[in-house]
Amino acid sequence: MVAVTSEPAPPTTVNAPTTTTAHPPGPNRNIGLIPTASMITNAAIAVVWLWVPLTLLLVGISSIPSVIGFALAVVVFVYLMRGVEWLERLRSEAVFGMGISVPPRNISRYEGFQRWLHQLWLDISSARFWKGTAHHLLRGIYDAAVTVVAFALMVFAFAGPAAAIAIRQSDDDAGLRFLSPPLAFVLAVIALVAAAAILVLAPALDAAIDRWLLSPSPTAALKFQVNALSEARKGAVSSAHTERHRIERDLHDSVQPRLVSLAMTIGLAQTKLDNDLPEAKKLIAEAHEDAKSALVELRNVVRGIAPTILADRGLDAALSSVVQRAENLGVPASLDIHLPRRLPDETESVAYFIVAEALTNVVKHAHATQAVVTVRYDEAAEQLHVSVFDNGRGGAAITTSEEATGLRGLDERVHAANGTFSVSSPPSGPTIVTAVLPCAS
């Protein structure tokens, strides 16, 4: 969205983009010293830590009659598990290097407290959240069980033969007398080998659990793509509808009155030609000025539909002209742009309209003394980052009003291009409009 106004968006949800940099794990990354150390460390932590989410879950269930207690337990549990999932992904990448793709996350498009509440519901009702929770609990239980078994075998390997010899030499017939020292030595060797095998090979199942529960399911990925395409289609239709109304409004409010005034002035001049030539000439001069003004306003409307300079000379030149126009209207503005190459036409068009509309809002409403436009291309992510800053009064908001369609149109335009749009505009300012646009052609 743009950095000038922001309104509560309709109660729909947009899916966050996903990371798709998944590559198969190296053949030796599932076993070795680091995975084993990670498994033992996780087992030691799990002995204490696993009680925390389980306690929260039990407290939440038992607090259902008390709405406040239940709500607090749910909020803490959700944030705790979201943080744990993030840490688990970092650990998995550091230990196994599998580059597991991040499942899509539904993002609320409400604002304020309603956004927070809705986002909480979206998270707790998502398969990603519960898969992450199951992953954390399953890995903790598995690592703890495997480590306990391995260390029990190692204890027997070192203590078993000594205990068997000591009991043989004692007068007590009880205890391990059935276990002869030679048999104890054989079993100790087997236990030691088994413990070593468990510690070395068990992390492979850890990696399998990571791939199983941290990866997005094919169904979830397909559903995300379908939802994203559906949202993009809705955004495109809504954007076109908003743009049509904007053009109608601009023609009705600016060009049409000029043309009506021009026609009236010319008609009045015709009545003066025969009996008051000086007055007729004066009226014709006024008509000439009205015609030039109408042409300027018509060019502005046309520029809003299809800026010629954008197609001919690219985004850099087009934005330079927009910034220069803002300076001519009394707002000092600067442009910081980095574009190594021409971008897809749709991306350049959306970026142009974001900056143009944002600066128009700054000139008309912000009472700002400075505006800064920043455009950066991220080659690694193939994304264009656009931001417009102004130091004027804040309070910009996207509204559903038919009289204020600028920012709403930008929001719809950006989402139609599968981008993200946001507006930060506290009541005292400053205002920052930002958009991230995909550039993959």
Side-chain angles (χ1 to χ4, degrees):
M1 301 194 158
V2 225
V4 185
T5 56
S6 139
E7 66 201 12
T12 56
T13 59
V14 181
N15 292 307
T18 63
T19 16
T20 56
T21 56
H23 49 82
N28 298 322
R29 292 297 293 274
N30 293 347
I31 59 175
L33 182 60
I34 293 178
T36 300
S38 171
M39 184 183 71
I40 296 173
T41 303
N42 191 55
I45 295 173
V47 172
V48 177
W49 171 251
L50 281 182
W51 292 103
V52 176
L54 289 175
T55 301
L56 275 173
L57 199 58
L58 293 174
V59 167
I61 294 173
S62 62
S63 301
I64 289 178
S66 168
V67 177
I68 296 178
F70 175 72
L72 185 60
V74 168
V75 170
V76 174
F77 180 73
V78 170
Y79 276 92
L80 181 66
M81 289 297 100
R82 277 175 50 184
V84 163
E85 184 203 10
W86 177 73
L87 289 174
E88 288 286 2
R89 290 186 184 280
L90 293 181
R91 176 207 52 77
S92 178
E93 179 61 28
V95 173
F96 300 116
M98 294 187 293
I100 297 175
S101 300
V102 180
R105 180 182 177 219
N106 289 330
I107 303 298
S108 174
R109 292 180 60 190
Y110 289 108
E111 297 294 334
F113 178 76
Q114 188 180 14
R115 175 188 177 89
W116 175 82
L117 202 60
H118 188 220
Q119 188 62 57
L120 200 67
W121 166 251
L122 290 176
D123 285 340
I124 203 170
S125 61
S126 68
R128 169 181 173 174
F129 175 81
W130 291 108
K131 284 178 68 177
T133 302
H135 167 269
H136 178 60
L137 297 176
L138 181 59
R139 273 199 84 250
I141 294 171
Y142 169 73
D143 288 352
V146 165
T147 304
V148 166
V149 170
F151 274 92
L153 290 171
M154 292 176 67
V155 168
F156 174 80
F158 289 105
I165 292 172
I167 291 173
R168 276 288 176 183
Q169 294 175 349
S170 70
D171 295 332
D172 190 1
D173 291 336
L176 296 179
R177 185 165 296 277
F178 71 92
L179 186 62
S180 64
L183 179 59
F185 275 108
V186 172
L187 293 178
V189 171
I190 295 174
L192 191 61
V193 172
I198 288 174
L199 291 176
V200 172
L201 299 178
L205 186 54
D206 266 346
I209 293 173
D210 286 355
R211 281 194 300 270
W212 175 38
L213 291 175
L214 292 182
S215 299
S217 66
T219 304
L222 181 60
K223 183 179 179 180
F224 164 71
Q225 293 177 356
V226 170
N227 289 341
L229 290 173
S230 177
E231 289 295 329
R233 179 183 175 278
K234 290 179 183 177
V237 172
S238 183
S239 175
H241 181 74
T242 302
E243 188 69 10
R244 184 173 68 251
H245 278 288
R246 184 191 67 81
I247 294 170
E248 291 174 354
R249 187 187 65 244
D250 289 347
L251 290 173
H252 180 271
D253 295 345
S254 59
V255 180
Q256 180 177 320
R258 289 285 184 185
L259 294 177
V260 170
S261 175
L262 175 62
M264 292 177 62
T265 303
I266 292 175
L268 189 58
Q270 284 180 324
T271 63
K272 299 286 186 178
L273 281 175
D274 294 333
N275 52 14
D276 193 350
L277 190 57
E279 182 65 20
K281 290 181 178 181
K282 181 180 177 182
L283 291 172
I284 291 173
E286 290 180 9
H288 183 236
E289 292 301 320
D290 283 343
K292 291 194 291 185
S293 298
L295 281 173
V296 170
E297 292 174 355
L298 189 57
R299 286 195 192 100
N300 289 335
V301 174
V302 172
R303 186 184 293 116
I305 301 173
T308 306
I309 190 174
L310 182 62
D312 294 343
R313 298 172 56 192
L315 187 59
D316 194 341
L319 294 185
S320 297
S321 69
V322 172
V323 169
Q324 184 61 49
R325 189 159 66 244
E327 289 187 329
N328 294 339
L329 293 173
V331 177
S334 62
L335 174 64
D336 181 9
I337 185 169
H338 171 69
L339 293 176
R341 60 178 177 84
R342 288 294 299 267
L343 303 177
D345 293 344
E346 181 187 16
T347 303
E348 289 192 342
S349 176
V350 174
Y352 172 85
F353 284 113
I354 289 170
V355 175
E357 181 65 28
L359 288 181
T360 298
N361 288 345
V362 172
V363 171
K364 288 183 177 180
H365 310 298
H367 302 290
T369 59
Q370 181 188 17
V372 179
V373 178
T374 305
V375 180
R376 283 283 182 274
Y377 176 63
D378 183 350
E379 295 191 48
E382 291 190 309
Q383 292 177 332
L384 184 67
H385 296 257
V386 182
S387 71
V388 182
F389 163 89
D390 74 81
N391 65 350
R393 67 182 185 184
I398 302 174
T399 67
T400 55
S401 170
E402 291 297 325
E403 302 299 322
T405 58
L407 289 178
R408 186 172 73 249
L410 288 181
D411 181 28
E412 293 164 349
R413 193 188 290 266
V414 170
H415 281 99
N418 288 326
T420 58
F421 185 74
S422 62
V423 178
S424 172
S425 184
S428 58
T431 296
I432 304 175
V433 176
T434 58
V436 180
L437 304 169
C439 299
S441 53

